[in-house]
Amino acid sequence: MNHISIRDTDLKLDDCYQFIAAPDAGGIDIFVGTVRNKSLGKTAVKLEFEAYEKMAISEIAKIIEEARSNWDLINVFVAHRTGTVEVMGIAVIIGVSSMHRAAAFEACRFIIDNLKQTVPIWKKEFFDDGAHWVSAHP
Amino acid sequence: MNHISIRDTDLKLDDCYQFIAAPDAGGIDIFVGTVRNKSLGKTAVKLEFEAYEKMAISEIAKIIEEARSNWDLINVFVAHRTGTVEVMGIAVIIGVSSMHRAAAFEACRFIIDNLKQTVPIWKKEFFDDGAHWVSAHP
Amino acid sequence: MVLQILAFGIAKDIFGARQINFVVPSQCTVETMKDLLEERFPALKRLATYAVAINEVYAVPAQYLQEKDEVAIIPPVSGG
Amino acid sequence: MVLQILAFGIAKDIFGARQINFVVPSQCTVETMKDLLEERFPALKRLATYAVAINEVYAVPAQYLQEKDEVAIIPPVSGG
C-alpha cells in the first residue's frame, strides 16, 4: 500500500513505521529530512514550505509507481510538511518496506532524490537578516 | 556521537531518532530489521537471538569507525535484540545522521551489510515443526 | 482568451498574488504564454528556470492552452 | 594447558554447554586447537564454517593460544 500526505502539522516517525511495517518485510528503510540550522554559511531561523498540493500528490504517486516498477516493495509512505518548520523539525519522511533490504534502501533513496527534482514544493529560508526562496535564482 | 546497544527488551524507533537528530543534519537514514513470517518457504513462529555481547559491541564499534572514515557522519545508532523476538518484532535498528543525505544512506547500508557479516550474533528460527540456527550449515 | 494562472513560491511574490487573470491569444502555446508573461513580469527572466503545469501535469513548450485549463507557474522546486 | 572455550549458537548445542574446559598442548595454534576440537566434536566439521575469537577479536589460524585467553567458537553469524 502507498500513503502520501502533504500536511501543515507535525510529521510523526511512528505513523510512518506503523504504516510500512509488514509481516513479510525483510528490510525497512526510513529517510527523515530535517531543517538545518545553517544554509549558505548563514544561520537559519526557520523554513516555510509551500506546496501545489494536488499536483505534489500526483507527482509523488508517479515517483512511487516508478519505484515499484524498479524494485519489489511492500509498503511506501511519503509525508511532507507545509507551513513553518523550525530548526530540527521534520520536513519530510519517506519510508519503504521490502522483502529485501537492498530494495528498501535503493527505493527510499530513489524517492527522496526524485521528490527533490520534480515535486512542486517550495522552501523559503528565513535568516536573521532576511529570507529567500531556495534554488529560485541561478 | 555513537550509540551501541545489545539488549533483551523492545527496541524503540524513537530512541534511535532522538539520539541521531542534530541541528546540522541534512539527512537521516534509519534501517529497521524485523522478523519475517516466512523463511525457507516455511512459516516462522518466532526467532531467538544470542550474542557474544562484549565482542559484538566491539565489532559494531569497528564497523562504525570504518563508516566514519568513509563518510562524514554526525551521529550513529546501532541497537540489536537478544532473546525472543516475535514476527514483526524489531531485531535491529541502525540510524545515521549526516550533513548530506547520500552519506546517511550509504553509511547506514554499509553498517547493516557489515553487521550481518562480522558481528557475533546468532539467529535461531522456530517453525511449527522444529528450529534451526540460521546459516550454520552449508 | 483569459487564463487563470496559479503561482507558487517566488512566482507568487513576482505576481503579487496567488492567482492572476492573464489575457493570451486564442491559439496560444505554453511557450508563447511564457514570452507574454515575461514581458509583463520581467523578474521571471531572472529565475534559474521555471516550468508550467497544465491540469497538474508538467507541460511541454509546444502544448496549446485551453481557457478552462488549470495553469500553474512552477519555479524551481525545493522540497525535501 | 587447559583452555576455557566459550561456545555460541550451534556450537553451544554441539558442546552441550556454554563453556567447556579443553586440554591442548602448551604450544598450540588456533589451527591445532580446531583439529583437536573436531576430533572430539565431529559435528563441528559439518558447519558451513566457524571462526575462533581470542579475547574478543577474530583470530588467524597460525595464532598461538595462551592459557588465560578468552577463547570463543564463532559459528556463522546471522544477526541483523
Side-chain angles (χ1 to χ4, degrees):
Chain A
M1 290 190 298
N2 299 337
H3 168 92
I4 304 172
S5 59
I6 309 281
R7 47 186 273 193
D8 64 0
T9 53
D10 283 356
L11 304 183
K12 308 280 192 197
L13 194 53
D14 204 51
D15 290 346
C16 171
Y17 184 73
Q18 295 303 328
F19 184 84
I20 60 177
D24 50 343
I28 289 174
D29 192 47
I30 300 172
F31 175 81
V32 183
T34 53
V35 172
R36 286 168 61 169
N37 59 356
K38 286 256 190 320
S39 182
L40 311 171
K42 299 207 284 185
T43 300
V45 177
K46 61 169 185 173
L47 292 187
E48 273 180 27
F49 286 100
E50 182 179 329
Y52 183 10
E53 288 198 18
K54 289 179 298 179
M55 183 174 169
I57 287 171
S58 76
E59 288 294 322
I60 292 169
K62 285 178 198 168
I63 295 168
I64 294 173
E65 284 321 300
E66 193 175 345
R68 285 189 179 278
S69 74
N70 291 339
W71 296 279
D72 193 13
L73 308 179
I74 301 167
N75 297 315
V76 178
F77 177 101
V78 177
H80 202 295
R81 274 298 306 275
T82 53
T84 302
V85 187
E86 309 290 335
V87 170
M88 281 187 76
I90 298 178
V92 62
I93 301 180
I94 318 268
V96 174
S97 56
S98 174
M99 300 268 282
H100 305 290
R101 71 180 185 284
F105 275 113
E106 288 164 20
C108 189
R109 186 167 175 180
F110 174 89
I111 293 169
I112 182 64
D113 286 352
N114 280 273
L115 183 149
K116 284 174 176 274
Q117 297 296 320
T118 64
V119 175
I121 298 176
W122 299 271
K123 174 158 51 186
K124 191 173 192 174
E125 288 178 331
F126 290 79
F127 303 104
D128 288 331
D129 59 351
H132 77 130
W133 287 102
V134 174
S135 303
H137 293 107
Chain B
M1 288 192 298
N2 299 337
H3 169 91
I4 303 172
S5 61
I6 310 280
R7 46 187 273 193
D8 63 0
T9 53
D10 282 357
L11 304 182
K12 308 280 193 196
L13 195 54
D14 204 52
D15 290 346
C16 172
Y17 184 74
Q18 294 303 327
F19 184 85
I20 60 177
D24 49 343
I28 289 174
D29 192 47
I30 300 172
F31 174 80
V32 183
T34 53
V35 172
R36 287 167 62 170
N37 60 356
K38 285 256 189 325
S39 181
L40 311 171
K42 299 207 283 184
T43 300
V45 177
K46 62 170 185 172
L47 292 187
E48 274 181 24
F49 286 100
E50 182 179 330
Y52 183 10
E53 287 198 19
K54 289 180 299 180
M55 184 174 169
I57 287 171
S58 77
E59 288 293 323
I60 292 169
K62 285 178 198 168
I63 295 168
I64 294 173
E65 284 322 299
E66 193 176 345
R68 285 189 179 278
S69 74
N70 291 340
W71 296 280
D72 193 13
L73 308 179
I74 302 168
N75 297 316
V76 178
F77 177 101
V78 177
H80 202 294
R81 274 298 305 276
T82 53
T84 301
V85 188
E86 309 289 334
V87 169
M88 280 188 78
I90 298 179
V92 61
I93 301 180
I94 319 268
V96 174
S97 56
S98 173
M99 300 267 283
H100 307 289
R101 71 181 184 285
F105 275 112
E106 289 165 19
C108 189
R109 187 166 174 181
F110 174 87
I111 293 169
I112 182 63
D113 286 352
N114 280 273
L115 183 149
K116 284 173 177 273
Q117 297 296 319
T118 64
V119 175
I121 298 176
W122 299 270
K123 175 160 48 186
K124 190 173 193 173
E125 288 178 331
F126 290 78
F127 303 104
D128 288 330
D129 59 351
H132 77 131
W133 289 101
V134 174
S135 303
H137 292 110
Chain C
M1 63 183 173
V2 179
L3 296 174
Q4 294 191 316
I5 303 179
L6 295 170
F8 296 93
I10 195 165
K12 191 178 64 175
D13 295 350
I14 291 170
F15 289 1
R18 191 178 191 284
Q19 186 178 315
I20 60 167
N21 293 326
F22 192 68
V23 178
V24 295
S26 57
Q27 291 288 312
C28 182
T29 63
V30 168
E31 193 163 25
T32 303
M33 181 195 72
K34 286 179 79 168
D35 290 342
L36 295 168
L37 276 172
E38 289 171 16
E39 272 178 37
R40 178 152 149 211
F41 302 102
L44 283 176
K45 286 185 280 193
R46 292 198 297 274
L47 297 184
T49 176
Y50 66 98
V52 172
I54 301 179
N55 302 323
E56 299 154 27
V57 176
Y58 284 107
V60 293
Q63 200 167 334
Y64 281 95
L65 293 152
Q66 313 286 332
E67 190 148 20
K68 290 170 299 185
D69 284 339
E70 180 174 312
V71 181
I73 303 304
I74 312 285
V77 303
S78 51
Chain D
M1 63 183 173
V2 179
L3 295 175
Q4 294 191 315
I5 303 180
L6 296 171
F8 296 93
I10 196 165
K12 192 178 63 177
D13 295 349
I14 291 170
F15 289 1
R18 190 178 191 283
Q19 186 179 316
I20 59 167
N21 293 325
F22 192 68
V23 178
V24 296
S26 57
Q27 291 288 311
C28 181
T29 63
V30 167
E31 194 164 24
T32 302
M33 181 195 71
K34 287 178 78 167
D35 290 342
L36 295 169
L37 276 172
E38 289 171 14
E39 272 177 37
R40 179 151 147 209
F41 301 103
L44 284 175
K45 285 184 280 193
R46 293 198 296 272
L47 297 184
T49 176
Y50 66 98
V52 172
I54 300 177
N55 301 323
E56 298 154 28
V57 176
Y58 284 107
V60 294
Q63 201 168 334
Y64 280 94
L65 293 153
Q66 313 286 332
E67 190 149 18
K68 289 170 301 185
D69 283 339
E70 181 174 312
V71 181
I73 303 302
I74 312 284
V77 303
S78 51

